[in-house]
Amino acid sequence: MKKNLLPRLQMFFVILLLAGGSVSAKPQRVLVFSKTAGFRHTAAIASGKISIPLLGAKNNFEVDTTENANVFTGENLKKYAAVVFLCTTGNVLDDQQQQAFQQYIKSGGGFVGLHSAADTEYDWPWYGELNGAYFKSHPRQQEAVFNIVDPDNIATAHLPKVWKRFDELYNFKWIGTDIHVLINIDENSYTGGANGENHPMAWYHDFDGGRAFYTALGHDNKSYDDPLYLQHILGGIKYAMGANPKASTKSSAK
């Protein structure tokens, strides 16, 4: 009996190994969170909730969207490779939810802040450091010149080195010093800038065990019809999920 059992066990494990090699890896998941407790970018949020899941479908990651802060629990956040704050404003997480999110980042999670994510959680300094800046003000919406500082990043490699764009142009009351700047805005190209020559508008950094990307661009729904912007935030999402920030792999917003 034992002599006959051994070959069968060996064959069983061979079959398991072969089966495992043919099964594709489970797609990563991203949570898009768009709760607001202040000004609401209604059009941008509505468009982002459509466009970001489409980016996921085209680039092999799954997307959940919510405005329910109760999903910020330690157990639930484990499902996600990255959390996107889509135009959030004000205090959107309570103390327990903040603690769960902070632990998620410490455990290697990813964060993507879009536009008014910088206008969020002013009373929570850790969040400000994660995002990389806090919003101060903005002039009227207008066209400006954006200079690409790092053209080799997955969030900027597709952009023209001098990018002219119409948007709501943020000034910041505080900007972190440990961020890797991707895009600077030229304050001479528009009226109302308040940060001087060092006026970053997009960046990324490793932070407190996790990874964070932020872009100040994306005020309204027109951004989510712009392939350049979509590729920009796709690169940020990819980085937050764990991709190499250097533009060595192809991904598509088309």
Side-chain angles (χ1 to χ4, degrees):
M1 241 352 233
K2 289 182 180 179
K3 290 182 179 179
N4 293 331
L5 183 60
L6 184 59
R8 291 179 185 177
L9 285 173
Q10 289 174 330
M11 182 59 69
F12 174 73
F13 285 117
V14 168
I15 292 171
L16 278 181
L17 287 171
L18 290 173
S22 64
V23 176
S24 59
K26 187 177 180 180
Q28 292 177 293
R29 279 190 102 73
V30 170
L31 177 65
V32 174
F33 179 58
S34 54
K35 180 179 177 180
T36 55
F39 181 85
R40 186 172 179 84
H41 293 79
T42 302
I45 290 172
S47 295
K49 284 181 175 180
I50 296 171
S51 296
I52 297 175
L54 286 175
L55 287 179
K58 295 173 182 177
N59 292 276
N60 196 36
F61 61 90
E62 298 176 348
V63 177
D64 295 331
T65 64
T66 188
E67 301 206 355
N68 182 4
N70 290 327
V71 303
F72 282 76
T73 67
E75 190 61 32
N76 189 59
L77 290 174
K78 289 179 182 177
K79 297 188 298 188
Y80 299 105
V83 177
V84 179
F85 275 43
L86 170 61
C87 293
T88 53
T89 55
N91 295 327
V92 291
L93 301 178
D94 66 23
D95 291 345
Q96 286 186 325
Q97 293 157 358
Q98 288 178 1
Q99 185 176 6
F101 187 51
Q102 191 166 342
Q103 186 56 50
Y104 163 78
I105 295 295
K106 286 178 178 290
S107 299
F111 167 80
V112 174
L114 302 181
H115 196 52
S116 60
D119 189 26
T120 301
E121 296 289 350
Y122 289 100
D123 298 328
W124 186 19
W126 179 89
Y127 173 84
E129 293 176 10
L130 171 72
N131 188 67
Y134 275 127
F135 167 79
K136 177 182 180 182
S137 63
H138 64 78
R140 63 178 174 82
Q141 296 173 47
Q142 59 195 289
E143 186 180 77
V145 170
F146 298 87
N147 294 314
I148 308 307
V149 177
D150 182 355
D152 298 322
N153 188 272
I154 55 176
T156 52
H158 66 290
L159 295 173
K161 290 187 177 180
V162 177
W163 187 22
K164 291 184 178 179
R165 176 179 173 80
F166 185 94
D167 212 315
E168 186 176 71
L169 312 173
Y170 274 9
N171 297 313
F172 300 104
K173 65 174 67 178
W174 172 84
I175 301 172
T177 58
D178 69 337
I179 57 175
H180 184 97
V181 177
L182 299 172
I183 302 174
N184 267 330
I185 192 169
D186 181 356
E187 289 197 358
N188 294 317
S189 67
Y190 70 104
T191 59
N195 288 113
E197 292 184 8
N198 180 28
H199 191 160
M201 295 295 277
W203 55 78
Y204 74 96
H205 63 152
D206 292 343
F207 177 76
D208 205 14
R211 298 150 70 93
F213 168 89
Y214 172 76
T215 181
L217 306 178
H219 169 71
D220 61 21
N221 58 303
K222 293 178 183 177
S223 291
Y224 293 92
D225 294 325
D226 179 1
L228 294 180
Y229 178 77
L230 289 174
Q231 190 75 28
H232 174 54
I233 65 170
L234 175 62
I237 293 169
K238 288 286 205 179
Y239 162 73
M241 290 195 298
N244 188 327
K246 293 299 181 183
S248 57
T249 57
K250 291 185 178 180
S251 54
S252 178
K254 296 180 181 180

